Amino acid sequence: LGSGDGRIVNAVVRRFGCRAVGIDVLPESVKEAQSLAAAELPPELAPRAAYLCADAAHVDLAKADVLFMFVPDVMLRLVLRHLLPFSGLQPGTHVLIEDAPGDVRHGYGLHHLARGGVRPNT
């Protein structure tokens, strides 16, 4: 959610070869992300990176296996309270939150598994 220029989505596709979808409300961000994916990903992987210009509140997340968010704390709390409960997100979906504050790591019905991870090369 809030995929911006697509760096994270492209890094995930490049690293794991999976299908990844970035969602951003700004058309210029989606256009930039699509351009970067076409320019930076190998031709066989580029189709696996998709970008939607949409309000995340109106996107069905029922098919998501993993949800990654890197948004400001205030927005994060709004997403957790008002968006995710109505998003179709299935139990067992991994929700990865970059730099989540302590109250988020141990609240909102989430189970904190680990802190830390890897940084993409971009």
Side-chain angles (χ1 to χ4, degrees):
L1 303 177
S3 56
D5 66 6
R7 279 184 276 176
I8 300 293
V9 172
N10 292 341
V12 167
V13 170
R14 187 180 305 107
R15 170 81 165 89
F16 300 106
C18 62
R19 182 173 182 270
V21 179
I23 302 167
D24 205 293
V25 72
L26 301 173
E28 57 274 13
S29 292
V30 171
K31 190 171 186 166
E32 181 181 7
Q34 291 168 330
S35 296
L36 284 174
E40 296 178 359
L41 290 174
E44 67 276 8
L45 293 179
R48 294 178 185 217
Y51 295 92
L52 298 176
C53 184
D55 181 337
H58 303 292
V59 176
D60 181 6
L61 299 176
K63 293 182 180 179
D65 295 317
V66 177
L67 177 67
F68 175 81
M69 293 185 286
F70 186 32
V71 295
D73 291 353
V74 172
M75 185 176 178
L76 174 62
R77 288 179 181 87
L78 290 172
V79 167
L80 293 173
R81 277 190 211 123
H82 303 292
L83 189 142
L84 290 189
F86 307 102
S87 67
L89 207 61
Q90 299 297 306
T93 301
H94 292 280
V95 178
L96 307 175
I97 303 170
E98 181 68 23
D99 291 336
D103 67 309
V104 170
R105 288 195 301 268
H106 303 289
Y108 296 91
L110 300 173
H111 301 283
H112 181 243
L113 299 176
R115 181 169 173 86
V118 297
R119 285 193 177 149
N121 293 332
T122 59

